[in-house]
Amino acid sequence: MTTPPPQGNPFAQGQQQPYGQPQGQPPFPQQAGQPGFPPPGAPVPPQQGRKLSFKTIKNIVIVLIVAGVAIGGWITSQDDANTAAVGDCMHRGSTNDNSPDLEVVDCGDAKAQYTVLAKIEGDFSGLTAQSKCDAAAKDFEYVYTETNGSQSFLLCLKDK
């Protein structure tokens, strides 16, 4: 009868213990919070946070730019003739009679050219606009009409 060979490496002289470890005891376990590698077979913790891809960052920047342009356009359009009220002062930005580019300005501003005497909602043309301004503001000098779909109006103006 023969004896089976010993398990493991038959050429090993014996395993050495880590420095400072007493003979016959297992090595020190890794303490929580200490640097080092996790023991073999331990689950790898999930990564903290998520990286944004270049495409995602690019799309966010494009949306912000489009929103900025839209908001800027809306803010600048708030000084147009459609926001004028009685008593406001206006500046004519163009010499073209078909598109005078009226904008609301401060009445103390040197650019102020006209004063709004009346603002009448509705769609008016030529003689109708003149008669409406005659009824609403006797001393008017100029008539300005604007038609924007359902938001049409008439301004009765005089020189400042």
Side-chain angles (χ1 to χ4, degrees):
M1 195 158 144
T2 60
T3 12
Q7 296 290 334
N9 185 353
F11 302 107
Q13 295 293 323
Q15 294 183 356
Q16 291 187 347
Q17 294 294 327
Y19 180 74
Q21 185 81 17
Q23 291 288 352
Q25 290 186 0
F28 291 115
Q30 182 176 354
Q31 299 295 317
Q34 290 184 346
F37 296 103
V44 177
Q47 288 185 352
Q48 301 295 326
R50 184 176 149 202
K51 289 186 177 181
L52 292 175
S53 70
F54 175 75
K55 184 177 180 181
T56 303
I57 293 171
K58 179 187 75 163
N59 289 340
I60 290 171
V61 169
I62 288 172
V63 167
L64 290 175
I65 289 171
V66 168
V69 168
I71 291 170
W74 180 78
I75 289 172
T76 58
S77 73
Q78 293 305 299
D79 287 339
D80 292 341
N82 59 347
T83 62
V86 174
D88 283 348
C89 291
M90 307 288 294
H91 169 72
R92 183 176 180 157
S94 169
T95 57
N96 182 353
D97 286 339
N98 293 327
S99 179
D101 190 27
L102 290 178
E103 62 179 331
V104 176
V105 294
D106 184 64
C107 289
D109 192 342
K111 293 186 343 180
Q113 297 170 298
Y114 310 107
T115 303
V116 178
L117 300 178
K119 182 175 183 177
I120 305 166
E121 300 294 324
D123 190 6
F124 304 102
S125 62
L127 294 175
T128 310
Q130 291 283 348
S131 64
K132 287 290 185 178
C133 279
D134 276 335
K138 298 286 184 211
D139 56 346
F140 81 97
E141 297 174 25
Y142 308 102
V143 173
Y144 173 79
T145 60
E146 186 170 308
T147 304
N148 281 340
S150 65
Q151 189 182 18
S152 300
F153 61 93
L154 162 70
L155 292 179
C156 305
L157 306 168
K158 78 170 191 172
D159 284 327
K160 183 172 174 319

